[in-house]
Amino acid sequence: MEIKILCTKLIKPFLPTPHHLQRYKFSFCDQISEKEHVSMVFFFHNYNNFDMDERLEQSLSKILTHVYPAAGRYDDKDEYCSILCLDQGVSYTKAKTNDTLDNFLNKARNDFGHAALFSPHVNKNIDETNFMVSPIVTIQVTKFECGGLAISISISHPAMDGFSVFQFTSEWAKVCRIGTPIDKINFFRFNMGDIFPTRDITGLFKSTPIPVIQQDIVVKRIVIREAVMSRLRKKMH
């Protein structure tokens, strides 16, 4: 399977971030989080949405108007304890592969490592030397030969935790699917820095050697059938 990169660009918020919101202060939890990217990839069959490329980009731009820190950059003058929200944009890559989605899924059932092939290619250039100056969010949309899509999202962990990433992704999908007006997008509050402000952590954590434990890693796949999901939805309603 070959993946060909078509283009990479920056997607910026649909509306400029107001001046009073152009600095997002971290919380203490953000301050001590791991400096790494958290990635996930979603696969979609071809639903004959010929304008999907445009819809994905436009809906992402709308979401970024609300989640403005995602389009910013860490502030090196504040010891990386805040984000400058100057609408620098998220990295957005378009790619294609010569494989079909069904064929890929058959391979992935035996080796989950295949999914990593669809991670944003720009992440390969991000390491500890440039992590804090790289885009906070990187996205790659790869189109299969059959028309299916692989959408990979990678978010810098100090800026968003796992729950925030899922909520960001869910709301992006909702706006893309039903075209939520930009003034109705409101699902995040950016006040954790006021509740749990950053602090001087010098000497707070004592460095202790971590023993290396050699053990096997077990990977399991959980499959939830559509019929089960339908029954669950009926019970919830």
Side-chain angles (χ1 to χ4, degrees), residues 1 41-47 97 99-118 144 146 148-151 221-223 225:
M1 182 177 65
V41 58
F42 303 90
F43 298 95
F44 301 90
H45 284 286
N46 179 14
Y47 293 110
T97 178
D99 205 351
T100 65
L101 177 57
D102 287 339
N103 190 43
F104 162 76
L105 292 176
N106 287 331
K107 297 176 184 176
R109 288 188 177 95
N110 298 319
D111 183 0
F112 296 151
H114 281 82
L117 297 173
F118 295 92
F144 287 90
C146 60
L149 292 177
I151 301 179
R221 182 168 64 101
I222 300 175
V223 178
R225 304 296 180 187

mmCIF file of all heavy atoms in Angstrom, residues 1 41-47 97 99-118 144 146 148-151 221-223 225:
data_model
loop_
_atom_site.group_PDB
_atom_site.id
_atom_site.type_symbol
_atom_site.label_atom_id
_atom_site.label_comp_id
_atom_site.label_asym_id
_atom_site.label_seq_id
_atom_site.Cartn_x
_atom_site.Cartn_y
_atom_site.Cartn_z
ATOM 1 N N MET A 1 0.840 -1.195 0.000
ATOM 2 C CA MET A 1 0.000 0.000 0.000
ATOM 3 C C MET A 1 0.876 1.246 0.000
ATOM 4 O O MET A 1 1.801 1.371 0.796
ATOM 5 C CB MET A 1 -0.916 0.014 1.228
ATOM 6 C CG MET A 1 -1.857 1.211 1.279
ATOM 7 S SD MET A 1 -2.985 1.146 2.688
ATOM 8 C CE MET A 1 -1.819 1.286 4.042
ATOM 9 N N VAL A 41 -7.242 7.808 14.501
ATOM 10 C CA VAL A 41 -7.605 7.770 13.083
ATOM 11 C C VAL A 41 -8.983 7.137 12.936
ATOM 12 O O VAL A 41 -9.310 6.164 13.621
ATOM 13 C CB VAL A 41 -6.542 7.010 12.252
ATOM 14 C CG1 VAL A 41 -6.359 5.595 12.753
ATOM 15 C CG2 VAL A 41 -6.891 7.024 10.779
ATOM 16 N N PHE A 42 -9.801 7.725 12.064
ATOM 17 C CA PHE A 42 -11.155 7.249 11.804
ATOM 18 C C PHE A 42 -11.267 6.858 10.331
ATOM 19 O O PHE A 42 -10.721 7.543 9.460
ATOM 20 C CB PHE A 42 -12.182 8.341 12.117
ATOM 21 C CG PHE A 42 -12.116 8.853 13.530
ATOM 22 C CD1 PHE A 42 -11.294 9.923 13.855
ATOM 23 C CD2 PHE A 42 -12.871 8.271 14.533
ATOM 24 C CE1 PHE A 42 -11.227 10.401 15.157
ATOM 25 C CE2 PHE A 42 -12.809 8.739 15.836
ATOM 26 C CZ PHE A 42 -11.982 9.807 16.148
ATOM 27 N N PHE A 43 -12.008 5.784 10.067
ATOM 28 C CA PHE A 43 -12.178 5.305 8.697
ATOM 29 C C PHE A 43 -13.652 5.381 8.304
ATOM 30 O O PHE A 43 -14.534 5.014 9.081
ATOM 31 C CB PHE A 43 -11.666 3.867 8.566
ATOM 32 C CG PHE A 43 -10.193 3.734 8.855
ATOM 33 C CD1 PHE A 43 -9.750 3.370 10.118
ATOM 34 C CD2 PHE A 43 -9.251 3.998 7.873
ATOM 35 C CE1 PHE A 43 -8.399 3.261 10.394
ATOM 36 C CE2 PHE A 43 -7.896 3.896 8.138
ATOM 37 C CZ PHE A 43 -7.468 3.524 9.404
ATOM 38 N N PHE A 44 -13.890 5.852 7.081
ATOM 39 C CA PHE A 44 -15.255 6.046 6.604
ATOM 40 C C PHE A 44 -15.406 5.449 5.202
ATOM 41 O O PHE A 44 -14.547 5.651 4.341
ATOM 42 C CB PHE A 44 -15.604 7.540 6.537
ATOM 43 C CG PHE A 44 -15.481 8.258 7.854
ATOM 44 C CD1 PHE A 44 -14.275 8.843 8.229
ATOM 45 C CD2 PHE A 44 -16.556 8.346 8.720
ATOM 46 C CE1 PHE A 44 -14.152 9.504 9.437
ATOM 47 C CE2 PHE A 44 -16.446 9.004 9.929
ATOM 48 C CZ PHE A 44 -15.241 9.581 10.289
ATOM 49 N N HIS A 45 -16.516 4.749 4.993
ATOM 50 C CA HIS A 45 -16.817 4.238 3.661
ATOM 51 C C HIS A 45 -17.253 5.382 2.750
ATOM 52 O O HIS A 45 -17.581 6.478 3.210
ATOM 53 C CB HIS A 45 -17.915 3.176 3.729
ATOM 54 C CG HIS A 45 -17.427 1.854 4.236
ATOM 55 N ND1 HIS A 45 -16.660 1.004 3.470
ATOM 56 C CD2 HIS A 45 -17.585 1.248 5.442
ATOM 57 C CE1 HIS A 45 -16.371 -0.082 4.169
ATOM 58 N NE2 HIS A 45 -16.916 0.038 5.368
ATOM 59 N N ASN A 46 -17.275 5.127 1.474
ATOM 60 C CA ASN A 46 -17.669 6.131 0.488
ATOM 61 C C ASN A 46 -19.188 6.286 0.487
ATOM 62 O O ASN A 46 -19.920 5.349 0.188
ATOM 63 C CB ASN A 46 -17.190 5.701 -0.907
ATOM 64 C CG ASN A 46 -17.584 6.699 -1.982
ATOM 65 O OD1 ASN A 46 -17.977 7.821 -1.681
ATOM 66 N ND2 ASN A 46 -17.478 6.301 -3.233
ATOM 67 N N TYR A 47 -19.648 7.491 0.850
ATOM 68 C CA TYR A 47 -21.080 7.766 0.856
ATOM 69 C C TYR A 47 -21.474 8.714 -0.273
ATOM 70 O O TYR A 47 -22.484 9.402 -0.202
ATOM 71 C CB TYR A 47 -21.491 8.368 2.198
ATOM 72 C CG TYR A 47 -21.348 7.393 3.347
ATOM 73 C CD1 TYR A 47 -20.353 7.571 4.310
ATOM 74 C CD2 TYR A 47 -22.185 6.293 3.464
ATOM 75 C CE1 TYR A 47 -20.213 6.678 5.362
ATOM 76 C CE2 TYR A 47 -22.052 5.394 4.509
ATOM 77 C CZ TYR A 47 -21.064 5.593 5.455
ATOM 78 O OH TYR A 47 -20.920 4.704 6.485
ATOM 79 N N THR A 97 -4.331 7.006 -1.381
ATOM 80 C CA THR A 97 -3.676 5.704 -1.390
ATOM 81 C C THR A 97 -4.233 4.856 -2.521
ATOM 82 O O THR A 97 -5.383 5.049 -2.952
ATOM 83 C CB THR A 97 -3.872 4.971 -0.045
ATOM 84 O OG1 THR A 97 -3.262 3.681 -0.111
ATOM 85 C CG2 THR A 97 -5.341 4.808 0.289
ATOM 86 N N ASP A 99 -4.890 1.758 -2.335
ATOM 87 C CA ASP A 99 -5.586 0.604 -1.762
ATOM 88 C C ASP A 99 -7.066 0.940 -1.565
ATOM 89 O O ASP A 99 -7.455 2.111 -1.587
ATOM 90 C CB ASP A 99 -4.954 0.236 -0.418
ATOM 91 C CG ASP A 99 -5.172 -1.228 -0.063
ATOM 92 O OD1 ASP A 99 -5.949 -1.899 -0.772
ATOM 93 O OD2 ASP A 99 -4.585 -1.698 0.927
ATOM 94 N N THR A 100 -7.893 -0.090 -1.376
ATOM 95 C CA THR A 100 -9.301 0.129 -1.046
ATOM 96 C C THR A 100 -9.475 0.021 0.463
ATOM 97 O O THR A 100 -8.664 -0.615 1.152
ATOM 98 C CB THR A 100 -10.210 -0.902 -1.733
ATOM 99 O OG1 THR A 100 -9.913 -2.213 -1.219
ATOM 100 C CG2 THR A 100 -10.008 -0.878 -3.241
ATOM 101 N N LEU A 101 -10.535 0.610 0.971
ATOM 102 C CA LEU A 101 -10.766 0.582 2.413
ATOM 103 C C LEU A 101 -11.009 -0.842 2.902
ATOM 104 O O LEU A 101 -10.468 -1.253 3.932
ATOM 105 C CB LEU A 101 -11.951 1.479 2.769
ATOM 106 C CG LEU A 101 -12.353 1.502 4.245
ATOM 107 C CD1 LEU A 101 -11.186 1.912 5.128
ATOM 108 C CD2 LEU A 101 -13.535 2.448 4.458
ATOM 109 N N ASP A 102 -11.814 -1.609 2.183
ATOM 110 C CA ASP A 102 -12.108 -2.980 2.613
ATOM 111 C C ASP A 102 -10.840 -3.829 2.658
ATOM 112 O O ASP A 102 -10.643 -4.623 3.586
ATOM 113 C CB ASP A 102 -13.129 -3.621 1.671
ATOM 114 C CG ASP A 102 -14.530 -3.061 1.868
ATOM 115 O OD1 ASP A 102 -14.787 -2.500 2.952
ATOM 116 O OD2 ASP A 102 -15.355 -3.171 0.939
ATOM 117 N N ASN A 103 -9.987 -3.660 1.670
ATOM 118 C CA ASN A 103 -8.744 -4.422 1.643
ATOM 119 C C ASN A 103 -7.853 -4.033 2.819
ATOM 120 O O ASN A 103 -7.232 -4.889 3.467
ATOM 121 C CB ASN A 103 -8.013 -4.183 0.323
ATOM 122 C CG ASN A 103 -6.843 -5.129 0.133
ATOM 123 O OD1 ASN A 103 -6.953 -6.326 0.414
ATOM 124 N ND2 ASN A 103 -5.718 -4.601 -0.332
ATOM 125 N N PHE A 104 -7.801 -2.733 3.101
ATOM 126 C CA PHE A 104 -7.000 -2.273 4.236
ATOM 127 C C PHE A 104 -7.536 -2.833 5.551
ATOM 128 O O PHE A 104 -6.773 -3.288 6.407
ATOM 129 C CB PHE A 104 -6.989 -0.749 4.298
ATOM 130 C CG PHE A 104 -6.563 -0.223 5.635
ATOM 131 C CD1 PHE A 104 -5.230 -0.235 6.010
ATOM 132 C CD2 PHE A 104 -7.505 0.238 6.546
ATOM 133 C CE1 PHE A 104 -4.839 0.214 7.262
ATOM 134 C CE2 PHE A 104 -7.127 0.692 7.794
ATOM 135 C CZ PHE A 104 -5.788 0.678 8.151
ATOM 136 N N LEU A 105 -8.860 -2.805 5.729
ATOM 137 C CA LEU A 105 -9.448 -3.286 6.977
ATOM 138 C C LEU A 105 -9.178 -4.773 7.180
ATOM 139 O O LEU A 105 -8.983 -5.229 8.311
ATOM 140 C CB LEU A 105 -10.954 -3.009 6.984
ATOM 141 C CG LEU A 105 -11.351 -1.526 7.066
ATOM 142 C CD1 LEU A 105 -12.867 -1.375 6.977
ATOM 143 C CD2 LEU A 105 -10.831 -0.891 8.343
ATOM 144 N N ASN A 106 -9.152 -5.526 6.095
ATOM 145 C CA ASN A 106 -8.822 -6.951 6.204
ATOM 146 C C ASN A 106 -7.394 -7.137 6.706
ATOM 147 O O ASN A 106 -7.112 -8.018 7.523
ATOM 148 C CB ASN A 106 -9.001 -7.638 4.852
ATOM 149 C CG ASN A 106 -10.467 -7.818 4.483
ATOM 150 O OD1 ASN A 106 -11.316 -7.941 5.362
ATOM 151 N ND2 ASN A 106 -10.766 -7.825 3.192
ATOM 152 N N LYS A 107 -6.487 -6.297 6.228
ATOM 153 C CA LYS A 107 -5.098 -6.366 6.695
ATOM 154 C C LYS A 107 -5.000 -5.937 8.160
ATOM 155 O O LYS A 107 -4.266 -6.529 8.952
ATOM 156 C CB LYS A 107 -4.211 -5.455 5.846
ATOM 157 C CG LYS A 107 -4.111 -5.834 4.384
ATOM 158 C CD LYS A 107 -3.282 -4.794 3.637
ATOM 159 C CE LYS A 107 -3.238 -5.073 2.148
ATOM 160 N NZ LYS A 107 -2.507 -4.001 1.414
ATOM 161 N N ALA A 108 -5.753 -4.891 8.507
ATOM 162 C CA ALA A 108 -5.663 -4.335 9.858
ATOM 163 C C ALA A 108 -6.201 -5.290 10.914
ATOM 164 O O ALA A 108 -5.826 -5.202 12.083
ATOM 165 C CB ALA A 108 -6.415 -3.008 9.921
ATOM 166 N N ARG A 109 -7.073 -6.204 10.514
ATOM 167 C CA ARG A 109 -7.598 -7.174 11.481
ATOM 168 C C ARG A 109 -6.484 -8.069 12.018
ATOM 169 O O ARG A 109 -6.561 -8.573 13.138
ATOM 170 C CB ARG A 109 -8.694 -8.023 10.833
ATOM 171 C CG ARG A 109 -9.992 -7.266 10.600
ATOM 172 C CD ARG A 109 -11.114 -8.195 10.147
ATOM 173 N NE ARG A 109 -12.360 -7.461 9.988
ATOM 174 C CZ ARG A 109 -12.785 -6.960 8.846
ATOM 175 N NH1 ARG A 109 -12.055 -7.117 7.750
ATOM 176 N NH2 ARG A 109 -13.923 -6.301 8.779
ATOM 177 N N ASN A 110 -5.461 -8.250 11.219
ATOM 178 C CA ASN A 110 -4.336 -9.085 11.632
ATOM 179 C C ASN A 110 -3.174 -8.272 12.194
ATOM 180 O O ASN A 110 -2.355 -8.796 12.943
ATOM 181 C CB ASN A 110 -3.838 -9.914 10.439
ATOM 182 C CG ASN A 110 -4.897 -10.849 9.903
ATOM 183 O OD1 ASN A 110 -5.627 -11.470 10.685
ATOM 184 N ND2 ASN A 110 -5.007 -10.954 8.584
ATOM 185 N N ASP A 111 -3.113 -7.003 11.819
ATOM 186 C CA ASP A 111 -2.011 -6.161 12.284
ATOM 187 C C ASP A 111 -2.511 -4.726 12.433
ATOM 188 O O ASP A 111 -2.646 -3.996 11.454
ATOM 189 C CB ASP A 111 -0.848 -6.214 11.287
ATOM 190 C CG ASP A 111 0.362 -5.416 11.761
ATOM 191 O OD1 ASP A 111 0.296 -4.831 12.858
ATOM 192 O OD2 ASP A 111 1.369 -5.374 11.029
ATOM 193 N N PHE A 112 -2.786 -4.319 13.675
ATOM 194 C CA PHE A 112 -3.306 -2.976 13.921
ATOM 195 C C PHE A 112 -2.294 -1.896 13.567
ATOM 196 O O PHE A 112 -2.638 -0.730 13.430
ATOM 197 C CB PHE A 112 -3.710 -2.822 15.389
ATOM 198 C CG PHE A 112 -4.839 -3.723 15.796
ATOM 199 C CD1 PHE A 112 -4.944 -4.170 17.095
ATOM 200 C CD2 PHE A 112 -5.787 -4.120 14.883
ATOM 201 C CE1 PHE A 112 -5.979 -5.005 17.477
ATOM 202 C CE2 PHE A 112 -6.826 -4.954 15.248
ATOM 203 C CZ PHE A 112 -6.925 -5.404 16.551
ATOM 204 N N GLY A 113 -1.038 -2.283 13.442
ATOM 205 C CA GLY A 113 -0.003 -1.311 13.119
ATOM 206 C C GLY A 113 -0.223 -0.622 11.787
ATOM 207 O O GLY A 113 0.322 0.460 11.550
ATOM 208 N N HIS A 114 -1.038 -1.234 10.923
ATOM 209 C CA HIS A 114 -1.317 -0.622 9.624
ATOM 210 C C HIS A 114 -1.996 0.742 9.781
ATOM 211 O O HIS A 114 -1.833 1.626 8.938
ATOM 212 C CB HIS A 114 -2.215 -1.539 8.782
ATOM 213 C CG HIS A 114 -1.466 -2.668 8.133
ATOM 214 N ND1 HIS A 114 -1.146 -3.826 8.798
ATOM 215 C CD2 HIS A 114 -0.960 -2.814 6.881
ATOM 216 C CE1 HIS A 114 -0.492 -4.633 7.991
ATOM 217 N NE2 HIS A 114 -0.358 -4.047 6.825
ATOM 218 N N ALA A 115 -2.768 0.910 10.846
ATOM 219 C CA ALA A 115 -3.483 2.175 11.042
ATOM 220 C C ALA A 115 -2.523 3.342 11.226
ATOM 221 O O ALA A 115 -2.830 4.481 10.865
ATOM 222 C CB ALA A 115 -4.414 2.067 12.245
ATOM 223 N N ALA A 116 -1.334 3.057 11.773
ATOM 224 C CA ALA A 116 -0.351 4.122 12.011
ATOM 225 C C ALA A 116 0.143 4.739 10.709
ATOM 226 O O ALA A 116 0.662 5.860 10.706
ATOM 227 C CB ALA A 116 0.823 3.575 12.814
ATOM 228 N N LEU A 117 -0.032 4.026 9.598
ATOM 229 C CA LEU A 117 0.406 4.557 8.310
ATOM 230 C C LEU A 117 -0.357 5.818 7.925
ATOM 231 O O LEU A 117 0.108 6.607 7.098
ATOM 232 C CB LEU A 117 0.223 3.494 7.219
ATOM 233 C CG LEU A 117 1.042 2.205 7.366
ATOM 234 C CD1 LEU A 117 0.616 1.192 6.307
ATOM 235 C CD2 LEU A 117 2.528 2.504 7.256
ATOM 236 N N PHE A 118 -1.533 6.009 8.531
ATOM 237 C CA PHE A 118 -2.375 7.146 8.169
ATOM 238 C C PHE A 118 -2.218 8.332 9.120
ATOM 239 O O PHE A 118 -2.934 9.318 9.003
ATOM 240 C CB PHE A 118 -3.843 6.708 8.119
ATOM 241 C CG PHE A 118 -4.123 5.707 7.045
ATOM 242 C CD1 PHE A 118 -4.066 4.350 7.312
ATOM 243 C CD2 PHE A 118 -4.412 6.117 5.755
ATOM 244 C CE1 PHE A 118 -4.311 3.414 6.314
ATOM 245 C CE2 PHE A 118 -4.658 5.197 4.747
ATOM 246 C CZ PHE A 118 -4.602 3.839 5.025
ATOM 247 N N PHE A 144 -9.108 6.751 -0.094
ATOM 248 C CA PHE A 144 -8.851 5.430 -0.661
ATOM 249 C C PHE A 144 -9.285 5.397 -2.123
ATOM 250 O O PHE A 144 -10.058 6.248 -2.585
ATOM 251 C CB PHE A 144 -9.605 4.356 0.129
ATOM 252 C CG PHE A 144 -9.019 4.066 1.484
ATOM 253 C CD1 PHE A 144 -9.437 4.782 2.599
ATOM 254 C CD2 PHE A 144 -8.055 3.084 1.645
ATOM 255 C CE1 PHE A 144 -8.906 4.518 3.851
ATOM 256 C CE2 PHE A 144 -7.512 2.815 2.889
ATOM 257 C CZ PHE A 144 -7.940 3.537 3.995
ATOM 258 N N CYS A 146 -11.323 3.501 -3.468
ATOM 259 C CA CYS A 146 -12.763 3.264 -3.561
ATOM 260 C C CYS A 146 -13.585 4.493 -3.190
ATOM 261 O O CYS A 146 -14.811 4.478 -3.304
ATOM 262 C CB CYS A 146 -13.152 2.104 -2.652
ATOM 263 S SG CYS A 146 -12.757 2.403 -0.909
ATOM 264 N N GLY A 148 -13.416 5.819 -0.052
ATOM 265 C CA GLY A 148 -13.453 5.894 1.406
ATOM 266 C C GLY A 148 -12.402 6.860 1.933
ATOM 267 O O GLY A 148 -11.503 7.285 1.199
ATOM 268 N N LEU A 149 -12.521 7.203 3.204
ATOM 269 C CA LEU A 149 -11.611 8.186 3.799
ATOM 270 C C LEU A 149 -10.992 7.660 5.085
ATOM 271 O O LEU A 149 -11.621 6.911 5.836
ATOM 272 C CB LEU A 149 -12.355 9.488 4.120
ATOM 273 C CG LEU A 149 -12.875 10.341 2.970
ATOM 274 C CD1 LEU A 149 -13.643 11.533 3.529
ATOM 275 C CD2 LEU A 149 -11.737 10.813 2.081
ATOM 276 N N ALA A 150 -9.759 8.083 5.332
ATOM 277 C CA ALA A 150 -9.108 7.916 6.629
ATOM 278 C C ALA A 150 -8.800 9.316 7.134
ATOM 279 O O ALA A 150 -8.084 10.070 6.474
ATOM 280 C CB ALA A 150 -7.827 7.097 6.509
ATOM 281 N N ILE A 151 -9.377 9.683 8.271
ATOM 282 C CA ILE A 151 -9.150 11.007 8.847
ATOM 283 C C ILE A 151 -8.376 10.834 10.144
ATOM 284 O O ILE A 151 -8.873 10.244 11.103
ATOM 285 C CB ILE A 151 -10.477 11.743 9.107
ATOM 286 C CG1 ILE A 151 -11.254 11.901 7.798
ATOM 287 C CG2 ILE A 151 -10.215 13.107 9.740
ATOM 288 C CD1 ILE A 151 -12.595 12.594 7.960
ATOM 289 N N ARG A 221 -8.992 -5.975 19.978
ATOM 290 C CA ARG A 221 -9.903 -5.210 19.129
ATOM 291 C C ARG A 221 -11.330 -5.405 19.620
ATOM 292 O O ARG A 221 -11.761 -6.527 19.874
ATOM 293 C CB ARG A 221 -9.787 -5.676 17.672
ATOM 294 C CG ARG A 221 -10.652 -4.902 16.694
ATOM 295 C CD ARG A 221 -10.230 -5.236 15.274
ATOM 296 N NE ARG A 221 -10.467 -6.640 14.969
ATOM 297 C CZ ARG A 221 -11.510 -7.080 14.258
ATOM 298 N NH1 ARG A 221 -12.399 -6.233 13.796
ATOM 299 N NH2 ARG A 221 -11.658 -8.357 14.005
ATOM 300 N N ILE A 222 -12.043 -4.303 19.789
ATOM 301 C CA ILE A 222 -13.437 -4.359 20.226
ATOM 302 C C ILE A 222 -14.321 -3.953 19.051
ATOM 303 O O ILE A 222 -14.159 -2.866 18.496
ATOM 304 C CB ILE A 222 -13.681 -3.423 21.425
ATOM 305 C CG1 ILE A 222 -12.792 -3.851 22.602
ATOM 306 C CG2 ILE A 222 -15.141 -3.437 21.828
ATOM 307 C CD1 ILE A 222 -12.879 -2.919 23.785
ATOM 308 N N VAL A 223 -15.232 -4.811 18.666
ATOM 309 C CA VAL A 223 -16.135 -4.549 17.546
ATOM 310 C C VAL A 223 -17.554 -4.411 18.081
ATOM 311 O O VAL A 223 -18.056 -5.302 18.768
ATOM 312 C CB VAL A 223 -16.076 -5.681 16.500
ATOM 313 C CG1 VAL A 223 -17.059 -5.402 15.368
ATOM 314 C CG2 VAL A 223 -14.662 -5.826 15.954
ATOM 315 N N ARG A 225 -21.306 -4.007 16.800
ATOM 316 C CA ARG A 225 -22.127 -4.144 15.602
ATOM 317 C C ARG A 225 -23.205 -3.064 15.546
ATOM 318 O O ARG A 225 -23.672 -2.566 16.573
ATOM 319 C CB ARG A 225 -22.786 -5.525 15.561
ATOM 320 C CG ARG A 225 -21.800 -6.688 15.642
ATOM 321 C CD ARG A 225 -20.876 -6.719 14.442
ATOM 322 N NE ARG A 225 -19.934 -7.842 14.517
ATOM 323 C CZ ARG A 225 -18.940 -8.019 13.657
ATOM 324 N NH1 ARG A 225 -18.758 -7.157 12.677
ATOM 325 N NH2 ARG A 225 -18.121 -9.052 13.789
#
